[in-house]
Amino acid sequence: MDTTQEEVIDGEDLSYEGQRFTRGPRCRVIGVLDDGVASLSGVALGHLREAECVIGARRTLTLLESQIAPTAERLDLGVGLSQVPDWVRQAQSVGKRCVVLATGDPLFFGIASYLAARLCVDALEVLPNLSAVQIACARLGLPWQSIKLCSIHARDAGEWRVGAQASHGLYELMQTLRSHERVAVLTSPDNSPDRIARMLLLEGLGEEFQIAVAESLLQPGERVRAELSAAEVAQMRFAELNIVLLLRLKPRPRPVLLGLADSTFEQRQPEKGLITKQEVRAVSLARMQLRLNSIIWDIGAGSGSVGLEAARLCSEGHVYAIEKNAEDFAIAGRNHRAMALSNYSLQQGKAPAGLEDWPDPDAVFIGGSGGELAQLIELILCRLKPQGMLVMNFVTIENLAAAVEALNAAGVQWDVLQLQASRSKPILHMHRMAAENPVWIVCAQAVVEP
């Protein structure tokens, strides 16, 4: 497989440390498959046989023991991945020929990128092998150039929960499944195929995907099971080493991204619906300066219209929403389920209580403050990321004045836009313009630290 349990690097900081080696032979990072020696080229075998220091997972070292020189030092990377760069440095500093044994393609969710970030590319030579995904697709006769690749080969993520936040180990996979037709997944003993299937069922996607599981590839117990349903896989158990392929049974929907009609959202009726109207919502979202990976706070979510539309725009980000009114909280929850979004978390409460657990935002929308406006603005301006945007909607002069006073006290730049839309309505065989209530859109940007 592409990574053994000892090679897990998910969550590691891959920042480049800038070391540059001027002595010692390059370390060879060699990809190995589960059929051992048979998977290696003559060049790779030559490097392995000549190595004076061999680093690898215990299972891989055992698999290739016959090809390692008796005098070579053997180091088990299962002792601690963080020690491997130092082991390589030490070997190179005394001129030892060093080999790191990886599985599959070492640059595919593997150890080679981890080492390159800490040792620099000049210190390494990567000899890749086939990845487990390539082999699984070959067994199924499935072209893989358009498959989205995802790894949950990491620590135990726990069972999926509807509304789980970005810290959950299956979050990225859930987002990927929402936005792709075909997905290949590197699993782990804990984050197993049956756990993925249960997640699909919880999110209402059980009928959307067909599942194939390739187990113990290139081993005597190899087995490939295809055309499985999520309900079937949820009750099955598989060998620890496996690849999961998820294939949509029909093309995913391509909904409108921006400017959803107000009727798209459930809201309180009549004339009491807490919803930011379409025109105001579009301008407010534009002023929030959203990016694909933005973290957004939606305070006073009402029906959830702003936060849910933001979540659709920020498919790699996450929206954290709060609503104090029980009826509106329930409505926002139903709208969330109808939108079928995984990057949206809703809680009931009165801000600022609960905001301390949210990650710092790139943008904040305030649709209702519950009388804590000045305190909220002060807290948000402290938490906003540099150049982050605060956008607020007001329909009363008093709240507008309170917001401006709080922004002036904080010493930030702000601007106000008054938006008043009129919509055509039929009257007999003609049409008239019916005015919506004017709304003040107040925007402020976080101060960039020098």
Side-chain angles (χ1 to χ4, degrees):
M1 307 300 288
D2 292 279
T3 49
T4 66
Q5 193 64 27
E6 293 89 342
E7 291 171 33
V8 173
I9 63 171
D10 293 48
E12 291 282 358
D13 176 15
L14 297 184
S15 58
Y16 176 52
E17 294 183 358
Q19 290 94 343
R20 190 171 185 84
F21 285 79
T22 57
R23 59 178 178 169
R26 298 174 84 184
C27 172
R28 270 76 185 207
V29 185
I30 299 175
V32 181
L33 301 180
D34 283 337
D35 54 353
V37 176
S39 70
L40 299 182
S41 67
V43 172
L45 273 173
H47 288 312
L48 178 58
R49 289 164 179 164
E50 294 172 359
E52 298 164 281
C53 176
V54 182
I55 302 168
R58 184 181 298 108
R59 184 174 66 88
T60 311
L61 290 171
T62 301
L63 193 64
L64 295 171
E65 176 61 32
S66 64
Q67 304 301 313
I68 302 172
T71 57
E73 183 180 15
R74 294 155 173 80
L75 296 171
D76 179 6
L77 63 77
V79 173
L81 184 64
S82 61
Q83 299 183 52
V84 178
D86 287 335
W87 290 343
V88 174
R89 290 190 192 101
Q90 290 165 11
Q92 290 179 320
S93 69
V94 295
K96 282 187 175 182
R97 292 184 292 272
C98 182
V99 162
V100 174
L101 297 174
T103 45
D105 183 347
L107 286 167
F108 177 58
F109 295 105
I111 196 172
S113 57
Y114 177 86
L115 293 177
R118 287 154 177 79
L119 300 172
C120 95
V121 175
D122 289 347
L124 305 173
E125 179 184 356
V126 179
L127 286 74
N129 216 315
L130 293 174
S131 77
V133 171
Q134 287 175 280
I135 299 171
C137 288
R139 297 290 191 266
L140 293 162
L142 185 67
W144 71 287
Q145 66 268 14
S146 62
I147 289 179
K148 177 66 176 176
L149 308 174
C150 193
S151 175
I152 54 173
H153 188 88
R155 62 184 62 87
D156 187 350
E159 290 292 314
W160 178 255
R161 306 178 309 277
V162 174
Q165 300 183 13
S167 58
H168 196 286
L170 301 183
Y171 180 86
E172 181 182 353
L173 173 59
M174 188 66 253
Q175 290 296 93
T176 300
L177 292 170
R178 293 282 190 197
S179 56
H180 291 83
E181 310 292 337
R182 296 179 171 185
V183 180
V185 188
L186 297 176
T187 65
S188 70
D190 293 311
N191 301 324
S192 51
D194 54 300
R195 177 172 285 178
I196 296 172
R198 287 191 292 274
M199 179 176 71
L200 290 174
L201 295 171
L202 275 175
E203 290 287 342
L205 296 174
E207 302 298 323
E208 299 290 320
F209 286 91
Q210 186 178 90
I211 302 174
V213 182
E215 305 172 76
S216 303
L217 291 171
L218 299 176
Q219 297 184 55
E222 177 181 311
R223 179 169 56 174
V224 179
R225 290 187 268 189
E227 299 184 1
L228 301 172
S229 70
E232 290 173 323
V233 175
Q235 303 299 322
M236 298 169 70
R237 295 295 178 267
F238 301 88
E240 287 193 353
L241 296 178
N242 64 75
I243 295 291
V244 174
L245 297 166
L246 298 112
L247 313 174
R248 276 191 179 269
L249 293 170
K250 56 185 178 181
R252 62 191 171 89
R254 305 278 182 168
V256 172
L257 289 178
L258 177 65
L260 296 175
D262 294 343
S263 59
T264 305
F265 302 94
E266 181 186 343
Q267 55 195 285
R268 273 195 281 163
Q269 296 293 341
E271 302 301 327
K272 290 185 179 180
L274 291 182
I275 185 169
T276 302
K277 296 296 196 313
Q278 183 185 47
E279 297 82 5
V280 177
R281 191 184 334 125
V283 174
S284 296
L285 288 166
R287 293 305 305 271
M288 288 163 71
Q289 299 290 283
L290 301 176
R291 295 172 173 81
L292 274 177
N293 62 347
S294 290
I295 300 298
I296 301 148
W297 292 2
D298 181 10
I299 298 174
S303 66
S305 63
V306 172
L308 289 167
E309 197 155 349
R312 292 157 64 91
L313 294 169
C314 304
S315 57
E316 299 173 12
H318 199 94
V319 175
Y320 297 84
I322 187 169
E323 171 56 47
K324 65 183 179 66
N325 180 275
E327 184 178 354
D328 290 311
F329 170 78
I331 289 172
R334 291 195 290 272
N335 283 328
H336 175 207
R337 289 188 288 276
M339 292 284 179
L341 295 167
S342 301
N343 60 333
Y344 181 91
S345 298
L346 175 68
Q347 69 184 60
Q348 185 176 1
K350 182 178 179 180
L355 305 188
E356 66 275 5
D357 297 325
W358 292 359
D360 290 346
D362 298 288
V364 177
F365 177 76
I366 297 181
S369 64
E372 310 292 341
L373 187 57
Q375 182 183 357
L376 270 175
I377 290 174
E378 181 182 3
L379 180 144
I380 289 165
L381 292 175
C382 290
R383 295 284 305 276
L384 266 176
K385 294 178 184 176
Q387 298 184 317
M389 294 298 300
L390 167 60
V391 176
M392 301 174 279
N393 285 182
F394 301 112
V395 295
T396 69
I397 297 172
E398 289 77 11
N399 278 340
L400 172 64
V404 169
E405 182 179 357
L407 292 171
N408 283 332
V412 297
Q413 292 186 336
W414 54 269
D415 65 88
V416 179
L417 167 68
Q418 179 179 294
L419 188 63
Q420 195 277 311
S422 296
R423 298 180 178 181
S424 64
K425 289 192 175 182
I427 176 172
L428 299 178
H429 61 282
M430 296 176 286
H431 291 78
R432 68 179 179 87
M433 299 305 294
E436 299 287 342
N437 288 330
V439 177
W440 286 288
I441 302 175
V442 183
C443 304
Q445 190 169 34
V447 176
V448 179
E449 298 180 358

